[in-house]
């Protein structure tokens, strides 16, 4: 049986599924319910310093991008850090950790960018018995306008400086949460490592506006007729997050830095993608808000079943395995040739593949044969672009087949070379040479 026990940045948890710092982790009541449901860890909603109370809007805090059948694609929120007193949060963190000693409990922190502010809060947090701290350098709304959140995360020098303060004034593992609202994620990650960070977590939310009310022509959602940009998360941001996780894993300055993957995790398959690209665990928010805490049971069972089928004893057995297949465009194998093929037994004759290819691609799918509605791929026009596979409503009805060495490409009339079969391990692949070095 697969062992899901997770060891991340010196923190142990029974599985790699943690709840991210967000509304679901705002108080002890929620966290108790989460641990009862089976979550391996929780990052407590971001704490701030003692001072003027945080005041949230008494109106719409959330917005969503939905499909026509109301499935959620993206989620937006303008909620600030915790609006509960620091002392109350610290008391509850202490109580929860005592009640659940086997679970990971990490405190998310955000205070002004001064050494005295971090020096003051860190001992109070450490005294709760929590397992680590996560520095919120990513929140793109509300707090960033006050010189915190992504205002810090967008400046590598600030990241390095604050991280070093935290390592100086606390013995706890320090996880730096990175913002995606930046050009090159490798720079802040490298700064976190220079500051002594034990790990990074990413991505935080993407700065966004969800839309406009067509009747009032006001931003939507809005409170009192006005709205503000918020943080975008959910399934739609997962490809952005995966790319950034992979970039950190590939970069020499950050290779080997533990990563907690965040963004659109709603199933075991999503977790697999992150772990295979180098993440040590994953954090979840949107899926829990939409489906409730018990979704973790399906995630854990699904990942364990996959590992059993593949013969993996722990997640370390496949962590980072996919990184070796990620490269820059100029290193892609231009000699490899793929062709689409349609399974006629599964085809429902809807014609979506034909019209997509005919109107916007390479006119490589015929619509009629002997006057009968029928769809076939024309190998001499097909470039293997994958559009038809993407638009087909029937799973696995259209697939791409890679031509084997010696087969003739109908478009060019040339035989496929032996080097096209597996470019990842081909001796002429410069990425393979650099990785070996």
């Amino acid at each position: 049986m697969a062992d899901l026990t997770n060891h991340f940045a010196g923190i142990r948890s029974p599985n790699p599924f943690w709840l991210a710092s967000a509304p679901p982790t705002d108080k002890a009541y929620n966290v108790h319910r989460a641990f009862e449901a089976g979550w391996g860890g929780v990052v407590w909603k971001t704490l701030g310093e003692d001072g003027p109370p945080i005041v949230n809007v008494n109106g719409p805090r959330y917005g969503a991008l939905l499909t026509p059948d109301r499935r959620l694609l993206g989620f937006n929120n303008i909620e600030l850090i915790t609006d509960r007193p620091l002392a109350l949060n610290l008391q509850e963190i202490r109580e929860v950790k005592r009640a659940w000693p086997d679970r990971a409990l990490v405190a998310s922190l955000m205070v002004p960018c001064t050494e005295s502010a971090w020096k003051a809060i860190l001992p109070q947090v450490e005294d709760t018995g929590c397992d680590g701290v996560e520095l919120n350098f990513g929140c793109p709304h509300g707090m960033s306008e006050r010189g915190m959140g992504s205002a810090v995360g967008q400046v590598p020098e600030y990241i390095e400086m604050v991280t070093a303060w935290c390592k100086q004034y606390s013995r706890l593992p320090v996880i730096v949460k990175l913002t995606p609202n930046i050009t090159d994620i490798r720079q802040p990650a490298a700064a976190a490592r220079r500051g002594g960070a034990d790990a990074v977590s990413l991505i935080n939310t993407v700065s966004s506006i969800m839309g406009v009310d067509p009747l009032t022509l006001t931003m939507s959602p809005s409170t009192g007729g006005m709205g503000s940009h918020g943080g975008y998360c959910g399934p739609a941001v997962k490809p952005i997050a995966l790319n950034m996780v992979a970039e950190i894993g590939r970069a020499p300055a950050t290779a080997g830095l533990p990563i907690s993957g965040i963004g659109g995790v709603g199933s075991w398959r999503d977790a697999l993608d992150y772990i295979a690209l180098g993440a040590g665990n994953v954090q979840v928010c949107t899926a829990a808000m939409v489906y409730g805490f018990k979704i973790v049971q399906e995630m854990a069972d699904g990942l364990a079943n996959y590992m059993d089928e593949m013969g993996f004893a722990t997640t370390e057995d496949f962590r980072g395995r996919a990184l070796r297949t990620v490269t820059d465009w100029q290193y892609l194998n231009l000699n490899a040739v793929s062709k689409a093929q349609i399974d006629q037994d599964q085809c429902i004759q809807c014609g979506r593949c034909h019209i997509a290819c005919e109107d916007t691609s390479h006119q490589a799918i015929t619509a009629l044969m002997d006057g009968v509605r029928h769809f076939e791929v024309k190998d001499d026009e097909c470039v293997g672009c994958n559009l038809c596979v993407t638009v087909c409503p029937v799973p696995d009805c259209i697939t791409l087949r890679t031509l084997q060495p010696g087969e003739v490409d109908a478009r060019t009339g040339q035989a496929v070379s032996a080097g096209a079969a597996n470019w990842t391990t081909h001796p002429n692949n410069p990425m393979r040479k650099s990785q070996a070095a």
Side-chain angles (χ1 to χ4, degrees):
M1 294 292 291
D3 182 4
L4 293 183
T5 302
N6 187 247
H7 299 271
F8 179 76
I11 302 171
R12 185 183 186 280
S13 59
N15 63 59
F17 298 99
W18 292 9
L19 280 175
S21 169
T25 63
D26 189 35
K27 60 178 76 72
Y29 177 84
N30 303 65
V31 177
H32 280 303
R33 286 180 60 85
F35 285 154
E36 288 167 359
W39 290 89
V42 159
V43 183
W44 203 277
K45 186 170 182 182
T46 305
L47 311 179
E49 64 178 353
D50 280 323
I54 297 293
V55 180
N56 277 293
V57 296
N58 289 310
R61 301 180 187 181
Y62 309 137
L65 178 65
L66 304 173
T67 64
D69 61 353
R70 296 193 61 79
R71 288 182 298 110
L72 186 137
L73 292 177
F75 193 75
N76 173 282
N77 92 88
I78 61 168
E79 189 166 300
L80 303 178
I81 65 174
T82 183
D83 53 13
R84 305 166 72 237
L86 175 62
L88 177 59
N89 277 299
L90 294 176
Q91 174 188 334
E92 291 188 356
I93 291 173
R94 181 179 294 106
E95 293 171 352
V96 170
K97 184 58 188 177
R98 286 177 178 172
W100 299 91
D102 67 322
R103 308 302 172 91
L105 185 52
V106 174
S108 174
L109 303 179
M110 180 193 295
V111 297
C113 198
T114 64
E115 185 173 0
S116 60
W118 288 98
K119 184 178 180 180
I121 197 172
L122 284 164
Q124 300 178 66
V125 173
E126 188 169 335
D127 188 56
T128 65
C130 69
D131 299 296
V133 293
E134 183 180 78
L135 314 185
N136 186 343
F137 293 158
C139 188
H141 56 276
M143 306 310 294
S144 57
E145 289 90 328
R146 311 178 196 198
M148 294 179 278
S150 63
V152 177
Q154 291 167 339
V155 184
E157 292 80 6
Y158 291 171
I159 294 175
E160 181 178 356
M161 176 177 67
V162 176
T163 303
W165 290 340
C166 293
K167 292 299 295 181
Q168 178 180 353
Y169 297 117
S170 175
R171 295 168 297 177
L172 294 172
V174 173
I175 305 168
V176 175
K177 191 171 187 179
L178 301 178
T179 176
N181 302 298
I182 195 164
T183 304
D184 186 349
I185 196 65
R186 296 171 296 183
Q187 302 306 315
R193 169 170 268 183
R194 290 195 300 271
D198 298 279
V200 293
S201 59
L202 67 152
I203 58 173
N204 209 311
T205 53
V206 181
S207 189
S208 57
I209 290 177
M210 297 305 289
V212 171
D213 186 310
L215 299 180
T216 63
L217 296 180
T218 59
M219 179 184 154
S220 177
S222 63
T223 299
M226 299 291 287
S228 178
H229 66 96
Y232 191 58
C233 54
V237 308
K238 178 188 163 190
I240 299 170
L242 288 177
N243 176 63
M244 292 187 172
V245 166
E247 287 298 285
I248 292 173
R250 294 172 56 211
T254 51
L257 181 65
I259 299 171
S260 183
I262 311 172
V265 179
S267 70
W268 70 269
R269 276 291 290 109
D270 298 321
L272 169 63
D273 289 345
Y274 277 100
I275 296 171
L277 286 169
N281 69 9
V282 293
Q283 296 184 35
V284 181
C285 172
T286 304
M289 295 182 74
V290 174
Y291 300 109
F293 286 153
K294 289 186 178 180
I295 190 175
V296 71
Q297 298 166 9
E298 183 179 330
M299 292 180 180
D301 288 346
L303 185 60
N305 289 338
Y306 163 79
M307 291 167 60
D308 285 341
E309 292 175 2
M310 295 292 290
F312 297 136
T314 73
T315 55
E316 285 299 305
D317 291 343
F318 64 93
R319 186 176 65 83
R321 285 276 194 98
L323 266 181
R324 60 191 174 91
T325 67
V326 181
T327 188
D328 297 326
W329 194 97
Q330 65 264 33
Y331 300 132
L332 296 179
N333 182 8
L334 302 185
N335 295 317
V337 179
S338 296
K339 300 291 182 182
Q341 54 185 13
I342 301 173
D343 184 340
Q344 298 300 330
D345 292 335
Q346 293 194 67
C347 182
I348 60 174
Q349 309 298 326
C350 67
R352 289 183 62 183
C353 61
H354 164 71
I355 202 63
C357 187
E358 193 72 15
D359 285 355
T360 68
S361 195
H362 292 84
Q363 298 78 50
I365 298 180
T366 60
L368 295 172
M369 186 173 291
D370 298 327
V372 178
R373 184 178 178 87
H374 183 82
F375 301 98
E376 289 279 0
V377 176
K378 296 186 286 186
D379 283 350
D380 57 343
E381 298 293 342
C382 179
V383 300
C385 72
N386 209 46
L387 178 61
C388 57
V389 177
T390 302
V391 302
C392 179
V394 180
D396 300 323
C397 176
I398 306 179
T399 55
L400 288 185
R401 184 179 73 85
T402 300
L403 271 59
Q404 297 303 305
E407 284 192 74
V408 175
D409 179 359
R411 294 185 70 245
T412 64
Q414 298 178 344
V416 176
S417 68
N422 191 350
W423 188 241
T424 302
T425 58
H426 194 276
N428 290 336
N429 182 353
M431 288 303 292
R432 178 179 180 272
K433 293 180 180 179
S434 65
Q435 290 164 357

